[in-house]
Amino acid sequence: DVKVTQSSRYLVKRTGEKVFLECVQDMDHENMFWYRQDPGLGLRLIYFSYDVKMKEKGDIPEGYSVSREKKERFSLILESASTNQTSMYLCASRRDRGTYEQYFGPGTRLTVT
Amino acid sequence: RKEVEQDPGPFNVPEGATVAFNCTYSNSASQSFFWYRQDCRKEPKLLMSVYSSGNEDGRFTAQLNRASQYISLLIRDSKLSDSATYLCVVNSLNDMRFGAGTRLTVKP
């Protein structure tokens, strides 16, 4: 059974704090993604990675960075959290060929106060 | 114009009803299409892929119209457990675009 896990389900941080969100997949997938989901806006891509140490900006990378040192792990970093980064963050992974089905983690609901 | 557009709903239907959702996309080069289901406070999960010839999985039927650039999802004999948000997903060259979702509530 495929599995994507995220380090926290709920997180509360203060403005200006550095925030780390971790994502781990056990399916040996090449591609990993970070999205945020806000009401009425759907899922928006922050960053993605095709392979270890590779990263590409998505649609809304400002205020975020990522790290992929190992194939199974993709981290999202908020360098200095702001209140407009309060959101649901979803990690996903998929193979780089085939059906392109994405498997999502359970999400992290981040609140920045 | 959004790249993938869906009617946000909500759709409130009685059990046993047939309900249809449409989704339009702007990129004519899109190659693959999906419907995902997302329950409240849960992650999206693949419901079904959408093929050019149309495809059916039990009570669910998905269709693709490339000429008009839309996909549809038909749910027959709605169950209470079908209550969820349905996301339309369009992929072109590894660029996956998600609709904002259509919320469905099936009532007794």
Side-chain angles (χ1 to χ4, degrees):
Chain A
D1 196 18
V2 299
K3 194 142 190 184
V4 181
T5 57
Q6 295 184 226
S7 49
S8 305
R9 291 300 303 272
Y10 300 94
L11 211 52
V12 180
K13 294 292 182 181
R14 293 187 185 275
T15 300
E17 280 193 84
K18 192 167 186 176
V19 182
F20 292 87
L21 303 182
E22 301 281 337
C23 174
V24 178
Q25 50 95 3
D26 65 358
M27 298 163 282
D28 201 35
H29 284 170
E30 293 81 9
N31 300 342
M32 296 188 74
F33 306 82
W34 275 107
Y35 296 90
R36 63 177 283 177
Q37 186 175 31
D38 301 287
L41 296 178
L43 276 78
R44 292 181 291 167
L45 182 63
I46 304 171
Y47 267 97
F48 60 100
S49 169
Y50 285 133
D51 204 346
V52 176
K53 296 192 184 296
M54 293 181 67
K55 58 186 178 184
E56 297 284 342
K57 292 180 180 179
D59 298 319
I60 51 165
E62 295 79 19
Y64 303 93
S65 62
V66 290
S67 171
R68 192 160 181 210
E69 296 297 316
K70 294 185 178 181
K71 190 175 186 179
E72 67 271 19
R73 189 179 297 269
F74 192 35
S75 303
L76 180 70
I77 303 142
L78 286 66
E79 297 291 342
S80 177
S82 62
T83 54
N84 63 12
Q85 293 178 309
T86 292
S87 186
M88 169 69 88
Y89 289 88
L90 288 158
C91 174
S93 73
R94 72 169 193 216
R95 295 196 183 285
D96 66 354
R97 57 196 171 279
T99 64
Y100 296 107
E101 176 185 353
Q102 288 195 348
Y103 297 87
F104 285 87
T108 297
R109 185 164 294 279
L110 172 67
T111 302
V112 183
T113 61
Chain B
R1 182 186 171 190
K2 291 182 182 176
E3 295 194 44
V4 180
E5 293 205 63
Q6 296 181 250
D7 182 341
F11 284 61
N12 299 309
V13 303
E15 267 187 295
T18 295
V19 61
F21 307 136
N22 286 330
C23 166
T24 58
Y25 60 94
S26 59
N27 185 351
S28 59
S30 298
Q31 301 163 311
S32 49
F33 309 87
F34 309 89
W35 283 101
Y36 276 69
R37 171 194 168 125
Q38 186 173 23
D39 293 296
C40 188
R41 299 187 183 278
K42 300 278 190 178
E43 72 273 21
K45 292 185 179 179
L46 180 67
L47 177 66
M48 58 198 302
S49 301
V50 187
Y51 303 118
S52 297
S53 55
N55 47 300
E56 189 173 307
D57 183 3
R59 298 181 293 108
F60 298 83
T61 300
Q63 297 213 314
L64 166 65
N65 185 321
R66 284 189 185 272
S68 301
Q69 293 182 206
Y70 79 83
I71 67 174
S72 64
L73 177 68
L74 183 76
I75 305 175
R76 290 182 298 277
D77 189 22
S78 300
K79 311 289 184 193
L80 295 177
S81 57
D82 293 335
S83 297
T85 296
Y86 292 83
L87 306 177
C88 169
V89 184
V90 175
N91 177 67
S92 65
L93 295 174
N94 286 335
D95 182 17
M96 291 190 78
R97 296 288 166 173
F98 289 78
T102 298
R103 185 186 294 182
L104 171 67
T105 301
V106 181
K107 300 188 173 182

